[in-house]
Amino acid sequence: MFQWSKSNDVLGTVNRGNAAESGLCTLCRADCHGKCETWLSSLMGRKMLYPRDFGSVTAGSGNTTHVGVSYNSLRILGYNYGAAGLSQNLSSSPDDCIFPNVNIETEFGAEVKTKSKIPIMTGALGSTFIAARYWDSLAVGAALAGFPIVIGENVAGIDKDAVIENGKIKKAPELDRRIETYLRYFDGYGGIFVQMNVEDSRNGVAEYVIEKYGDRVIMELKWGQGAKCIGGEIQVRDIDYAVFLKKRGYLIDPDPEKPEIIEGFKNGAVKSFARHSRLGYTHLSSFEGVREEFMKTVENLRKIGYKKITLKTGSYGMENLAMAIKLATEAKLDLLTIDGSGGGTGMSPWNMMETWGVPSILLHSKAYEYASILANKGEKVVDMAFAGGFAREDHIFKALALGAPFTKIVCMGRALMIPAFVGSNIEGVLHPERKGKVNGNWDSLPPTVSQLGLKAEEIFAGYHEVKKKVGEEEMKNIPYGAIAIWTLADKLAAGLQQLMAGARKFSLKAISREDIASANRETERETKIPFITDIKDDVAMNILNS
């Protein structure tokens, strides 16, 4: 079995556990002392784009062998002439065609557009406790950096303080907290999604949100995700809470009301309970049945006031992929997120995550093919987001290019949670009185942090830019995790701008499938992206024979 390298001497990065293709550990801990690339980038920002110890080293690529079909087996092309996608205020002069002038703003939507300063958005951060604990950092950081964030499924349903009467939500403090935290710093770039599954539909989440927040919230329908082929799960260790969730209508495994399970819990044999969501569309057996019910759902959401509606689907097979693209297009949805295996942020069953579904690059390649079929028939294809194991700026470029022109934004899950963890841990050490509030896990700064500085102003490369944006007085209210998210986003933005400048593409709309190449024949066959030395080989021959 192929294993990704756990260390990169050039960047000075090391993975604590097994490394995934994304560069993240397969098991990412909130208390980690570092130092994968994303972890360090949350502190050092765009400095992580370059080899360490400049002036006393030389560096050369170690990534010249490409095995199998993955995003790693796509390579980004560069050119030595031309400039496409220049904005009106830029000329083709070398003084204007510099990477900081590359426009990486994006927008998506059928009629009402959602703008983002950088083409990334979070994955669904739902009822997992880790999402709740670090929400302030995640939401404030995303709002300040100007990209969308998604509140995942079941947030109101598992909230002990939520009031549900006659099956409908009357009060949802945790959901309110999440929405309002983001909106406090929202400046027109980005957006906040609320995701809805079977239980959320029954509980009236859509009605509650629209009545309280109007069209400031984007409603996302949930078909699935890349991490698992069943509904969402969380794990609880309190049997009384497990019983509470069962009474709320959730499936709890094992059943906390069985006498033998109660006895097992009292004796320590049963230590936790898994809460599961239900599968959707179980009563349907055909595309036409799904189409009818889906269109009815979308129509009802529009009737109660939603102006922006999106859909997230998982790494199902080709029939369900085509179904998602076709129906999202017919319904004139604002975005379709296509999540490939094996992404994840929650507590999906591990062997399920390892063995089920269509890997991201294969799913995304077929998504482009299917979208092209609809476009060639004259249909205005739904804007798309690709998700499933992305963490770096090259991932963003490759995903946008592979799905161009349909893909407008890239969805990142675990990568955008890491800075929230790191920043919160640092804040808990530097301000012990806040440790519990921010869910800090450290008692002292590890050497991976202290070598950068002993104050936030020294540690975070993005600290002073955030202070300039919010002002010195408001800076006191900004979580350090949010500063870390800003810092990581700045690194991703600069790295993306550099790759685009090298490809001579000065706006996202100019990126195309011609900007990437397959590094092996197998990847060429599966993605339909030509092999690297075949691209423009005919043009080369014309030059040589001219």
Side-chain angles (χ1 to χ4, degrees):
M1 180 178 176
F2 180 79
Q3 294 287 327
W4 302 101
S5 176
K6 292 179 61 172
S7 65
N8 184 329
D9 188 41
V10 171
L11 297 179
T13 60
V14 179
N15 287 79
R16 175 197 51 77
N18 296 328
E21 181 188 358
S22 61
L24 308 181
C25 296
T26 51
L27 186 71
C28 180
R29 296 186 60 93
D31 59 356
C32 182
H33 287 191
K35 51 182 182 174
C36 73
E37 183 177 339
T38 300
W39 194 98
L40 275 178
S41 298
S42 303
L43 306 178
M44 299 171 66
R46 58 180 67 194
K47 181 174 173 55
M48 287 299 297
L49 294 171
Y50 310 100
R52 64 191 176 104
D53 301 331
F54 176 78
S56 59
V57 301
T58 65
S61 172
N63 189 32
T64 55
T65 301
H66 300 273
V67 179
V69 183
S70 70
Y71 269 96
N72 184 60
S73 292
L74 293 176
R75 290 192 69 89
I76 297 168
L77 297 175
Y79 303 95
N80 73 338
Y81 69 90
L86 291 169
S87 60
Q88 292 182 348
N89 63 324
L90 295 179
S91 72
S92 57
S93 160
D95 294 322
D96 278 349
C97 294
I98 55 178
F99 82 83
N101 285 342
V102 173
N103 183 359
I104 59 169
E105 288 188 9
T106 190
E107 64 179 22
F108 59 83
E111 294 182 6
V112 182
K113 300 295 185 182
T114 296
K115 300 185 296 181
S116 183
K117 291 182 180 176
I118 177 174
I120 61 173
M121 60 185 285
T122 73
L125 303 163
S127 56
T128 58
F129 299 133
I130 203 162
R133 289 172 185 148
Y134 297 97
W135 182 260
D136 285 359
S137 291
L138 291 159
V140 175
L144 291 176
F147 61 82
I149 192 168
V150 183
I151 300 174
E153 58 195 358
N154 295 312
V155 170
I158 72 159
D159 184 0
K160 291 180 180 178
D161 296 322
V163 176
I164 301 178
E165 296 176 355
N166 299 318
K168 300 299 178 184
I169 295 172
K170 301 299 181 184
K171 179 181 175 184
E174 176 61 15
L175 185 58
D176 290 339
R177 178 182 79 91
R178 297 202 192 186
I179 294 171
E180 290 163 8
T181 300
Y182 184 86
L183 290 178
R184 177 176 177 180
Y185 294 97
F186 174 65
D187 65 358
Y189 282 89
I192 186 157
F193 294 57
V194 171
Q195 200 176 79
M196 189 169 68
N197 67 359
V198 173
E199 287 83 4
D200 294 322
S201 298
R202 291 178 177 178
N203 289 336
V205 167
E207 291 79 3
Y208 177 83
V209 170
I210 196 69
E211 184 177 334
K212 192 160 187 178
Y213 299 102
D215 59 9
R216 291 181 292 171
V217 172
I218 302 165
M219 178 53 62
E220 178 161 278
L221 300 171
K222 176 76 176 288
W223 275 12
Q225 58 280 304
K228 54 188 174 292
C229 52
I230 57 175
E233 307 94 1
I234 62 171
Q235 190 176 107
V236 299
R237 295 183 174 87
D238 181 339
I239 193 169
D240 292 331
Y241 187 36
V243 171
F244 166 81
L245 292 174
K246 182 182 177 182
K247 293 185 184 302
R248 274 274 169 96
Y250 290 105
L251 169 65
I252 308 299
D253 179 41
D255 186 340
E257 293 186 309
K258 280 187 174 181
E260 58 270 33
I261 299 301
I262 295 171
E263 185 179 1
F265 182 80
K266 287 179 179 178
N267 287 286
V270 176
K271 295 178 172 60
S272 62
F273 302 86
R275 183 235 65 199
H276 292 264
S277 299
R278 287 168 176 75
L279 301 172
Y281 294 150
T282 54
H283 61 296
L284 302 174
S285 58
S286 68
F287 167 62
E288 288 305 326
V290 174
R291 172 190 259 161
E292 181 179 354
E293 186 154 315
F294 181 74
M295 291 302 184
K296 192 179 299 180
T297 299
V298 173
E299 183 181 352
N300 288 338
L301 289 174
R302 291 209 168 104
K303 277 183 179 177
I304 63 174
Y306 283 99
K307 294 183 179 179
K308 297 180 182 180
I309 304 169
T310 68
L311 172 66
K312 181 176 183 181
T313 191
S315 50
Y316 304 118
M318 299 308 101
E319 177 191 6
N320 293 152
L321 175 63
M323 192 181 296
I325 297 171
K326 178 68 173 176
L327 294 186
T329 296
E330 282 188 3
K332 295 182 172 57
L333 296 193
D334 295 279
L335 189 71
L336 169 64
T337 299
I338 301 173
D339 190 10
S341 294
T345 57
M347 61 155 289
S348 306
W350 175 247
N351 287 323
M352 181 185 291
M353 188 184 293
E354 287 281 86
T355 58
W356 103 279
V358 185
S360 294
I361 191 169
L362 301 178
L363 191 71
H364 298 158
S365 296
K366 295 300 285 188
Y368 167 79
E369 180 183 336
Y370 294 170
S372 297
I373 290 171
L374 296 183
N376 290 335
K377 291 166 59 178
E379 298 189 43
K380 186 181 183 301
V381 179
V382 64
D383 289 338
M384 298 193 301
F386 284 171
F390 298 130
R392 302 191 308 260
E393 62 276 359
D394 59 293
H395 297 151
I396 299 171
F397 187 105
K398 291 174 183 178
L400 292 173
L402 185 65
F406 310 109
T407 308
K408 309 298 184 186
I409 198 165
V410 172
C411 180
M412 292 181 165
R414 298 193 303 142
L416 293 175
M417 300 176 78
I418 289 173
F421 303 157
V422 181
S424 297
N425 289 333
I426 293 170
E427 185 169 0
V429 173
L430 299 184
H431 300 279
E433 72 281 4
R434 303 181 202 161
K435 185 176 180 180
K437 180 182 178 182
V438 301
N439 293 285
N441 293 286
W442 301 343
D443 295 320
S444 61
L445 294 181
T448 45
V449 176
S450 60
Q451 66 184 358
L452 301 176
L454 299 176
K455 299 186 295 184
E457 296 92 323
E458 300 168 340
I459 294 169
F460 297 105
Y463 182 94
H464 300 281
E465 289 179 291
V466 175
K467 185 172 76 169
K468 180 181 178 181
K469 180 177 178 67
V470 303
E472 190 160 355
E473 188 62 30
E474 184 61 27
M475 194 66 180
K476 299 173 185 176
N477 299 319
I478 303 300
Y480 286 7
I483 301 170
I485 287 174
W486 171 290
T487 305
L488 174 62
D490 181 65
K491 179 260 189 181
L492 294 172
L496 179 60
Q497 286 176 313
Q498 290 176 350
L499 290 168
M500 290 176 62
R504 306 299 176 111
K505 300 299 174 68
F506 285 82
S507 67
L508 288 178
K509 290 181 180 179
I511 291 178
S512 74
R513 284 167 64 90
E514 294 180 356
D515 295 319
I516 52 177
S518 292
N520 58 47
R521 294 293 181 182
E522 189 181 4
T523 299
E524 176 187 36
R525 184 178 69 246
E526 299 300 336
T527 65
K528 307 300 189 292
I529 297 293
F531 184 65
I532 192 164
T533 57
D534 289 343
I535 295 173
K536 294 198 173 181
D537 187 52
D538 56 338
V539 178
M541 293 303 172
N542 290 337
I543 291 172
L544 295 172
N545 292 317
S546 64

